[in-house]
Amino acid sequence: MKPTGIITSAVLVGVASAALAHSGATGIVKERMDAMSAMGKAVKQVAPMMSGETAYDADTVRHAAETIGMHAGDAMTRLFPDGSAGMPSVAKDAIWNDWESFAGLAEELHRYAEGLALAADNAPASQSDTMSNTSVMMGGSDMMGANSMMGSGDMMADDTMGREELAEMPANAVFAKVSDTCSSCHTRFRAKVK
Amino acid sequence: MRRVLAGVAVLALSGTAAIAALVVWPIGRPPAEIELTGDVQRGAYLARASGCIACHTNFEDGGAPLAGGAPLETPFGVFYPPNITTDPEHGIGDWSLSDFAMTVRQGVSPDGEPFFPAFTYPFYADFSDQDVADMWAAFQTVAPVTNPAPPHDVGFPFNQRWGLKLWRALFMHDPQTEPVEGKSVDWNRGRQLVRGAAHCGACHTGRNLAGGRMPDAVFAGNDDLPGGNKAPSILSDDLADRGWTVANLSYALQSGVTPSGDVFGGSMGEVVQNGTRFLSKSDSKAMAIYLLDSDVPERRALAGTPSIGKTID
């Protein structure tokens, strides 16, 4: 190769890698960011229904649940292969250091999303402020269990409710499990928000 | 030359005397004996809201409840939230209710030493005797854990506890949790939680180089949190600009879900997971009502630069 050729290649490689670095996420990192965004969009649609801000619509909830379910479980974990950390990804190394927990949460999300799709027809439980007492009781029992302030440390309640049980619950209660799972996972495994 | 030496000697002596004075300077007021009976459930609720459980439990490593929290990495060193279970040796099992009251409301340990302000006691100063008795009753139900938490890893000079007495004199101020006349019950309840128990300002208020919260940066956000975390501004106008409403903010405190459909991670994720999601609906709504209409001073041009002065939240 002539010297000019070498220089041209070097310049081209330089330009190409600069472009790559500046184009943000690519490949599998982009793929999982898109999947997260799709779930976020679904959550954005139904959250106001669950909080009572907008009218409840069972079809929208079912669709949103299916979208979340589609991106959860194995569909999620396969987007986190070894060595895919680092900028621009906000995935923490903890994902690969504690793969079992990460995969467990992904699977839990899948189960809850399926449950939510089945529970979509169950109107949300009362949203009025009179709910607060019930809510205190629920919080209370979680905190103290029968015998102590905190039970035996199982306050994260890694309950193993099956789809059938979830299907019987009010939709907002199942959605709360979905969002709790998102929150647990982001808290442990996502480096930072923006 | 002799005069200079004499001067140095005088300075050294007066410096030593000042430190000696600080060392023996008694802090805290012994509280009047509390003879109220505590309500376990109310106390556990308040302990949740106040972050006792969130901070003193190492959830990530599967630690026992209140047996010691995840390390807090700060510019001053690494703080290890201690074991506050009922174990008499490694926890607080041999404390009296008065010891507990003094600790929570004044940040002074049973042996009269000031606690590091990594412990957010300045926010709890207005807790009533009943609040303290309730929490104490709830703490009695916690199973003892016989392992100590690691000691704080704080280097000189921050490991000199007498220095904290100066810090207290400069930066400690009562939280503003008393009811404000002419405001609604919900707003006042929200203020009590936000400025007090829930201690939002611990992260969302800027701090000066000495770690004191800056009066002109209340709720204006903090980009320099332990562990590299950032807390955005929670000034009312900024919250409204970012799309927050009473409805979606109170729902976010319950669920972690934000108006964009994202779900909190990082330190706010922990706050929701281990704290605010246990609040009653009416309490999280009250917090949102207050936050979107809060009575903090306008952000000044100075915000973000270190300043010395009393903090006000």
Side-chain angles (χ1 to χ4, degrees), chain A residues 39-41 43-48 50-51 53 92 94 98 126-129 131-133 135-144 147-157 172 175-176 179-184 186-188 190-194, chain B residues 40-48 52-53 57 59-60 63 65-66 135 138-143 186 228-230 245 247-248 251 254-270 272-274 277-283 285:
Chain A
M39 288 191 283
K41 227 172 120 185
V43 168
K44 184 180 180 176
Q45 270 185 322
V46 299
M50 301 300 176
S51 65
E53 274 175 90
K92 274 191 188 173
D98 189 6
S126 162
Q127 293 293 333
S128 73
D129 233 22
M131 175 83 179
S132 66
N133 280 334
S135 166
V136 172
M137 296 308 288
M138 278 155 49
S141 65
D142 240 356
M143 245 152 73
M144 288 171 280
N147 43 18
S148 80
M149 187 162 172
M150 303 250 324
S152 46
D154 57 351
M155 38 90 47
M156 285 306 177
N172 57 341
F175 182 73
S179 60
D180 271 356
T181 311
C182 300
S183 177
S184 303
H186 287 178
T187 301
R188 290 179 70 172
R190 183 170 71 176
K192 57 175 181 263
V193 199
K194 274 142 247 169
Chain B
V40 171
Q41 185 146 348
R42 233 192 127 257
Y45 183 84
L46 185 58
R48 269 284 176 205
C52 308
I53 295 161
T57 308
F59 291 97
E60 201 151 316
L66 298 171
M135 283 172 82
F139 273 89
Q140 301 315 304
T141 68
V142 177
D186 280 346
N229 280 301
K230 294 178 179 194
T245 62
N248 66 25
Y251 188 66
Q254 300 269 345
S255 66
V257 177
T258 75
S260 70
D262 191 7
V263 183
F264 290 133
S267 12
M268 193 61 200
E270 284 172 29
V272 172
Q273 282 285 307
N274 304 322
R277 78 186 171 110
F278 295 93
L279 291 175
S280 70
K281 273 209 161 64
S282 55
D283 273 353
K285 188 175 176 193

Side-chain angles (χ1 to χ4, degrees), chain A residues 88-100:
Chain A
S89 174
V90 289
K92 274 191 188 173
D93 288 341
I95 290 180
W96 295 278
N97 296 337
D98 189 6
W99 182 259
E100 207 179 319

Side-chain angles (χ1 to χ4, degrees), chain B residues 71-85:
Chain B
L72 199 64
E73 284 166 31
T74 76
F76 310 104
V78 182
F79 294 98
Y80 293 88
N83 176 342
I84 51 171
T85 67

Side-chain angles (χ1 to χ4, degrees), chain A residues 54-174:
Chain A
T54 56
Y56 187 81
D57 179 68
D59 282 338
T60 309
V61 172
R62 199 166 14 249
H63 281 303
E66 284 163 2
T67 302
I68 296 168
M70 205 168 75
H71 293 292
D74 291 342
M76 181 184 288
T77 49
R78 76 172 179 79
L79 296 179
F80 290 84
D82 274 345
S84 64
M87 287 302 287
S89 174
V90 289
K92 274 191 188 173
D93 288 341
I95 290 180
W96 295 278
N97 296 337
D98 189 6
W99 182 259
E100 207 179 319
S101 302
F102 177 69
L105 284 165
E107 193 43 51
E108 198 172 279
L109 182 63
H110 187 245
R111 187 159 44 88
Y112 289 147
E114 283 191 336
L116 180 59
L118 294 169
D121 283 325
N122 311 343
S126 162
Q127 293 293 333
S128 73
D129 233 22
T130 52
M131 175 83 179
S132 66
N133 280 334
T134 332
S135 166
V136 172
M137 296 308 288
M138 278 155 49
S141 65
D142 240 356
M143 245 152 73
M144 288 171 280
N147 43 18
S148 80
M149 187 162 172
M150 303 250 324
S152 46
D154 57 351
M155 38 90 47
M156 285 306 177
D158 50 344
D159 52 83
T160 46
M161 275 188 165
R163 297 192 317 159
E164 292 72 23
E165 288 164 271
L166 294 166
E168 300 299 314
M169 292 171 64
N172 57 341
V174 185

